[in-house]
Amino acid sequence: MDEAAISGWAVDTSDPLVPLRLRVLIDDVITDVISCEATRPDAASFNLPTDKVGFSYLIPRRFLDGGRHVLRFSTIDGAALSMSSRTGMEMPELHFCLAQQTHVEGVLDGVVDGLIQGWALNVDARAKTRTGGLRILVTALGQPVAELLADQFRADVAEALNADAACGFTFSPPPELRQGRRMTLQFYAMPGKLELRGSPLELGFPDDSDRERINTLITRAEELFGYAYHLRQELKAALPNERYMLSDYPRWAKKSLPLAPARAAAMYGELAAERHVVSIICPVYQPAYGDFLAAVDSVRAQSYPHWELLLIDDASQDAALADQMRRLAKADDRIKVVRLAKNGGISHATNAGLKLAKGRFIAFFDHDDLLEPCALEVMLRAQAATGARLLYSDEDKVDRSGALSEPHFKPDFNYRLLLELNYICHFVLMETSLVRQLGWLDPKYDGAQDHDFLLRATERLEPREIHHVPEVLYHWRKSAFSTASAIGVKPKAAGAGERAVLQHLTRRGLAADVARRGVLTCYRIGWKPPRAAGKAGAVSILIPFRDHIELTQSCVEAIRKFTTGVEYEIILLDNWSNSAEAEAFCAAQGNMANTTVVRVAEAFNYSRLNNIGAARAKKDFVLLLNNDVFVSDAGWLRTMLDEMLIDEQVGAVGSKLLYPNGTIQHAGVVLGVGGIADHAFRGLPAATPGYMMHAMTAQEVSAITGACMLVRRTAFEAVKGLDEVELPIAFNDIDLCMKLTAAGWKIVFTPDVVAEHRESISRGDDFNEAKISRFMLENEVMRQRYRNLLPYDPFYSRHFSREGGVYRELRVLEPGEALKS
């Protein structure tokens, strides 16, 4: 079957000459809005004044998938309509199950990272398409055990087959299948029950006694330093639990989003006693009718009832749309419609709504997006608890079928990141008085008007007055013409954002160049701090080494070759080298200008070596640099230093480091992952944007690696440098960053300084048997010292798992856990 349609007729008996407009809902999602104005001679028997009351609706091909679906009709204001068949039978809804004439391609990859993974595509030869979204039936012994949806992102399949990337699936066998036996699972693409290549798959699971023994060993392993490092992860892997990979977001969302109200109550407490009105400003310009009605429905469904919805019709010139809005306003007196005589753009329309707003707070809302039912309630709980004047939440994307994807779990307020990327975006709640102080939205920045507005807000607010609500409360509609669907769809938006950032910096008196990063809507800030005498900055570069002279010499030569525009000295910290080659090298270096060699005849202690070097430093800034780091860009040190000079609150700056194979070794550090901390984007290609562009934007972070860290010397001395007593080898750089943060300094990562790092080549692997006990001891020092801080990195969402792998796996937080967060 290639097409399927439903026909009928309907009339509004109170006004039969006006064609009735209906919502079409399939699986409770508004798929279209239709008008009943086709000729239906059979309606004459009802003595109607007109026979133009009919309709014919072509069911979208995506529902011809062999699955069960439910179709309903309702009026524009949401009142349900029943249907009558030719036989006179009354039906509140129509169930259907139809399939297109297509065939299936699919493969079961097997077990990958503890999960069963595969992909499937629906191949339509006539339309020349390969689309995902197939249902996958899982059976054991001929009996169904699960049904999956093949809609997860698989870039490899898309590239290889020129197909829809949303075609992957993952399966974690439920607990009842893991009871100590071997099992064979079959995977079929539905509705044709076509078995995938690679199926069946045979698996084995531990029985109860095995599980008990493994858990006992896990407990023991956590008490032993050397044994724990190797055994604990292996044993945990032997006990598969329910896991949510980032690509498995829809399943996570289904379980986690309903918990948001309870988490907010645990975290923030009660709503303010006074029930303030929230004015929701919604510019409207030629939306898809179904999407628009769904957006309004999501406002009407709010658990917090004290709101007004201002619909600003920006001269859409659409009589049917105007009629929809009139009916919605009539159905709910909290909805107000404003019609503009001339189309002025989104800023102009938003300003028209802002001028009429009567609420204590303003919320910004697009005409086809969706709010979670608890959105206003959660935001107002947070406002009452924090006193913030500007609040923003997490968000995701919603497609035409109502499916959720692409979650944006945001950091807490991060001004440096906001300069390069409007990461705040949706959902924003602001005090009305603040909005009016800012002077409305500026139409010359249309496309990036919200970025401009947020930057202007930061000019008036203290950071403590801006609060991040860590819940997904806003669903941004993906469509063919939205920036939610494709970054490159609106190139003018990127240009407007570039101008907005530059004007903001000009108002703050900060000189900089602002340039777009490739085709993406984010920007590189090239700072231009004052270069007057005494203000250009000077750096002492500390390089510890022991033998490995060829490596160390290459490191030093690269510095001298590529460092321009910065006054610097090199302090070589010789940690007991004992070769003739080392003696010759040290003698030669000691004779070079602006170079000092300090011999430290002691056991290796990274913290002590750098503390000794910092005490000998003559410059205002100190660069900690491993002898296995190689720079290759003439502006590397100038870029790092300018981040310091432009903001006196910055205490340390880190760079992007790459392995010799060109993949990322360091792009900032996230606290709490894997126990103490982990590097972000480790192992990904150097040019990857990373999760929500975090690998390619400068931003404030909680920690950076000491392999290449520029530190303000006054800040370094104020926190007493690196801990050479309890953290001589590992985690001393993380500890330094956390001490700096506690003292009020910022830590900044810049992706615009890239160097090669041959990690651990100069002193071997930290994790061999001889060193494992020392590493675990320092691990425990950090756990005890920062037990209340490590799990809660303010720049890394609490919804990501801390078990291992940054920006990789999600966790479902219960309300009690949210209180600790």
Side-chain angles (χ1 to χ4, degrees):
M1 176 180 293
D2 289 331
E3 293 184 344
I6 181 171
S7 300
W9 62 271
V11 65
D12 183 350
T13 56
S14 66
D15 195 1
L17 291 175
V18 177
L20 183 63
R21 293 180 64 77
L22 302 177
R23 304 185 188 198
V24 184
L25 300 97
I26 300 180
D27 300 336
D28 290 324
V29 174
I30 302 170
T31 59
D32 215 334
V33 175
I34 61 175
S35 182
C36 302
E37 52 189 355
T39 301
R40 285 296 296 254
D42 57 331
S45 59
F46 289 87
N47 298 318
L48 297 174
T50 177
D51 61 358
K52 294 185 180 299
V53 292
F55 67 86
S56 180
Y57 179 66
L58 188 65
I59 295 174
R61 290 170 65 88
R62 66 182 182 275
F63 296 110
L64 307 183
D65 59 357
R68 300 176 186 177
H69 302 285
V70 179
L71 182 146
R72 295 190 296 109
F73 293 102
S74 69
T75 62
I76 288 296
D77 60 7
L81 295 178
S82 62
M83 294 173 275
S84 298
S85 70
R86 292 183 182 275
T87 62
M89 182 176 66
E90 291 287 328
M91 300 181 297
E93 56 194 25
L94 175 67
H95 294 243
F96 65 90
C97 181
L98 304 168
Q100 299 179 57
Q101 295 177 348
T102 58
H103 73 274
V104 170
E105 293 179 356
V107 172
L108 183 66
D109 297 324
V111 179
V112 180
D113 197 24
L115 297 169
I116 300 171
Q117 298 186 17
W119 59 269
L121 290 165
N122 201 355
V123 182
D124 187 336
R126 179 179 174 184
K128 297 181 179 179
T129 60
R130 286 181 167 89
T131 57
L134 281 171
R135 290 182 299 118
I136 305 298
L137 176 67
V138 186
T139 68
L141 299 177
Q143 299 299 311
V145 296
E147 188 169 287
L148 316 172
L149 193 63
D151 65 348
Q152 297 176 9
F153 187 75
R154 286 293 297 264
D156 56 332
V157 178
E159 182 176 357
L161 300 179
N162 191 27
D164 181 4
C167 63
F169 63 85
T170 56
F171 178 58
S172 178
E176 57 267 22
L177 295 182
R178 303 187 197 136
Q179 301 303 314
R181 52 184 170 141
R182 299 197 70 78
M183 174 166 292
T184 300
L185 300 176
Q186 282 96 14
F187 290 75
Y188 301 95
M190 302 299 286
K193 202 175 181 182
L194 302 172
E195 190 164 11
L196 301 182
R197 282 190 289 133
S199 173
L201 180 68
E202 187 175 356
L203 298 172
F205 300 98
D207 59 21
D208 288 343
S209 62
D210 291 333
R211 296 174 68 87
E212 183 177 354
R213 184 165 58 254
I214 291 171
N215 277 315
T216 299
L217 290 172
I218 289 175
T219 301
R220 288 187 58 202
E222 289 177 340
E223 299 172 355
L224 303 173
F225 286 154
Y227 190 47
Y229 189 81
H230 296 297
L231 188 59
R232 186 170 180 267
Q233 297 302 320
E234 295 175 9
L235 295 174
K236 281 196 169 186
L239 296 175
N241 297 310
E242 185 175 23
R243 297 168 64 184
Y244 302 91
M245 309 310 289
L246 186 58
S247 59
D248 198 24
Y249 174 70
R251 189 165 62 94
W252 178 91
K254 185 176 181 180
K255 189 167 184 178
S256 181
L257 296 191
L259 298 175
R263 284 194 295 253
M267 178 179 287
Y268 298 119
E270 298 298 322
L271 286 163
E274 184 177 354
R275 295 297 186 256
H276 298 294
V277 172
V278 178
S279 296
I280 303 173
I281 311 300
C282 181
V284 180
Y285 184 68
Q286 299 180 351
Y289 296 142
D291 295 346
F292 171 65
L293 292 171
V296 175
D297 284 353
S298 75
V299 176
R300 296 177 69 185
Q302 288 299 299
S303 58
Y304 183 84
H306 307 290
W307 50 264
E308 62 171 356
L309 174 61
L310 296 171
L311 299 174
I312 317 300
D313 184 354
D314 193 17
S316 296
Q317 304 301 321
D318 186 331
L321 177 62
D323 180 63
Q324 285 185 29
M325 289 193 282
R326 178 181 63 81
R327 290 176 180 268
L328 291 169
K330 185 177 179 181
D332 193 324
D333 60 9
R334 294 172 296 180
I335 300 175
K336 300 174 177 60
V337 179
V338 178
R339 295 186 181 87
L340 304 182
K342 181 180 179 182
N343 177 257
I346 190 168
S347 295
H348 179 73
T350 302
N351 290 340
L354 292 174
K355 292 171 185 176
L356 297 174
K358 297 179 180 178
R360 164 78 183 280
F361 297 99
I362 297 289
F364 297 91
F365 186 51
D366 287 351
H367 63 198
D368 55 359
D369 295 344
L370 301 175
L371 294 178
E372 272 292 293
C374 65
L376 294 180
E377 174 192 337
V378 169
M379 295 292 271
L380 289 170
R381 283 185 188 272
Q383 197 285 325
T386 65
R389 302 184 68 193
L390 187 161
L391 301 95
Y392 63 96
S393 75
D394 294 342
E395 62 187 284
D396 62 16
K397 306 290 172 44
V398 60
D399 67 15
R400 59 185 179 178
S401 299
L404 303 180
S405 63
E406 300 178 50
H408 187 178
F409 297 113
K410 304 171 186 176
D412 286 354
F413 179 59
N414 194 321
Y415 173 73
R416 186 63 184 87
L417 178 60
L418 184 62
L419 289 179
E420 304 220 349
L421 174 71
N422 180 13
Y423 78 92
I424 291 178
C425 206
H426 307 294
F427 177 47
V428 171
L429 184 81
M430 300 176 69
E431 279 188 357
T432 303
S433 59
L434 172 63
V435 171
R436 289 176 174 155
Q437 289 172 17
L438 295 177
W440 317 116
L441 274 66
D442 192 337
K444 71 183 178 184
Y445 299 117
D446 272 1
Q449 71 288 335
D450 48 353
H451 198 180
D452 168 66
F453 201 61
L454 290 166
L455 289 171
R456 282 193 276 140
T458 65
E459 296 166 26
R460 289 181 174 267
L461 298 176
E462 296 293 329
R464 59 181 172 78
E465 296 179 293
I466 302 173
H467 180 72
H468 167 222
V469 177
E471 294 289 352
V472 176
L473 303 179
Y474 193 98
H475 309 295
W476 191 3
R477 179 74 63 177
K478 294 173 67 174
S479 69
F481 303 102
S482 71
T483 50
S485 179
I487 294 171
V489 168
K490 296 183 177 179
K492 290 184 179 179
E498 188 177 326
R499 296 193 306 274
V501 174
L502 184 58
Q503 287 302 310
H504 164 72
L505 295 175
T506 299
R507 288 191 299 271
R508 289 195 57 208
L510 300 176
D513 291 325
V514 179
R516 189 175 175 188
R517 292 186 184 273
V519 299
L520 300 176
T521 312
C522 62
Y523 316 100
R524 174 175 180 171
I525 312 298
W527 296 116
K528 296 179 177 179
R531 296 285 192 265
K535 295 185 178 180
V539 180
S540 298
I541 303 175
L542 314 183
I543 306 175
F545 72 98
R546 175 184 292 180
D547 293 318
H548 294 283
I549 300 307
E550 183 177 353
L551 184 81
T552 307
Q553 183 160 353
S554 296
C555 170
V556 173
E557 288 176 351
I559 292 170
R560 295 194 176 111
K561 178 179 179 180
F562 291 109
T563 307
T564 60
V566 178
E567 179 188 340
Y568 67 92
E569 65 170 346
I570 295 175
I571 300 178
L572 291 164
L573 301 162
D574 175 15
N575 184 208
W576 232 341
S577 297
N578 53 25
S579 66
E581 182 185 20
E583 291 294 335
F585 170 75
C586 290
Q589 293 295 316
N591 291 325
M592 300 190 73
N594 301 315
T595 303
T596 302
V597 179
V598 178
R599 180 169 174 79
V600 182
E602 301 175 8
F604 179 74
N605 181 323
Y606 178 85
S607 296
R608 177 163 171 76
L609 286 170
N610 281 287
N611 287 343
I612 290 172
R616 296 286 298 269
K618 302 173 184 176
K619 311 301 183 184
D620 292 335
F621 300 90
V622 173
L623 180 77
L624 311 183
L625 188 71
N626 282 13
N627 68 330
D628 56 0
V629 171
F630 303 93
V631 299
S632 57
D633 171 23
W636 72 280
L637 191 54
R638 182 77 263 166
T639 298
M640 296 181 78
L641 187 56
D642 285 349
E643 289 285 351
M644 291 276 199
L645 297 178
I646 209 72
D647 185 350
E648 293 183 352
Q649 288 185 295
V650 173
V653 175
S655 63
K656 179 184 285 188
L657 301 180
L658 307 180
Y659 289 113
N661 66 0
T663 60
I664 295 174
Q665 186 267 341
H666 169 269
V669 172
V670 175
L671 301 180
V673 176
I676 305 303
D678 197 3
H679 290 192
F681 311 111
R682 187 196 301 270
L684 295 182
T688 183
Y691 180 76
M692 295 301 168
M693 305 187 208
H694 283 270
M696 62 177 297
T697 47
Q699 63 206 267
E700 192 176 348
V701 294
S702 290
I704 49 180
T705 178
C708 181
M709 177 194 295
L710 184 65
V711 188
R712 196 180 297 269
R713 197 175 73 176
T714 53
F716 186 86
E717 293 171 349
V719 300
K720 302 188 185 308
L722 296 164
D723 184 347
E724 58 190 68
V725 177
E726 293 190 290
L727 300 172
I729 311 298
F731 303 122
N732 36 56
D733 48 0
I734 309 303
D735 175 68
L736 174 62
C737 289
M738 296 185 77
K739 291 190 295 185
L740 289 170
T741 299
W745 300 95
K746 299 176 184 177
I747 313 297
V748 170
F749 161 72
T750 174
D752 299 317
V753 174
V754 181
E756 179 184 332
H757 184 197
R758 300 177 190 173
E759 186 179 31
S760 297
I761 195 171
S762 60
R763 57 183 179 87
D765 185 354
D766 265 342
F767 305 114
N768 60 36
E769 294 299 330
K771 299 176 181 177
I772 199 71
S773 294
R774 182 263 303 153
F775 173 80
M776 293 302 292
L777 176 60
E778 296 184 15
N779 186 90
E780 191 61 22
V781 168
M782 291 292 290
R783 284 169 54 88
Q784 295 297 327
R785 185 175 294 180
Y786 298 114
R787 66 174 66 184
N788 296 325
L789 296 177
L790 287 174
Y792 313 120
D793 188 325
F795 305 116
Y796 188 66
S797 174
R798 61 187 187 157
H799 296 298
F800 283 111
S801 169
R802 265 56 179 173
E803 288 302 312
V806 179
Y807 296 116
R808 177 183 170 195
E809 190 169 344
L810 302 175
R811 59 179 178 174
V812 175
L813 282 171
E814 297 297 330
E817 296 175 292
L819 181 61
K820 293 189 294 184
S821 298

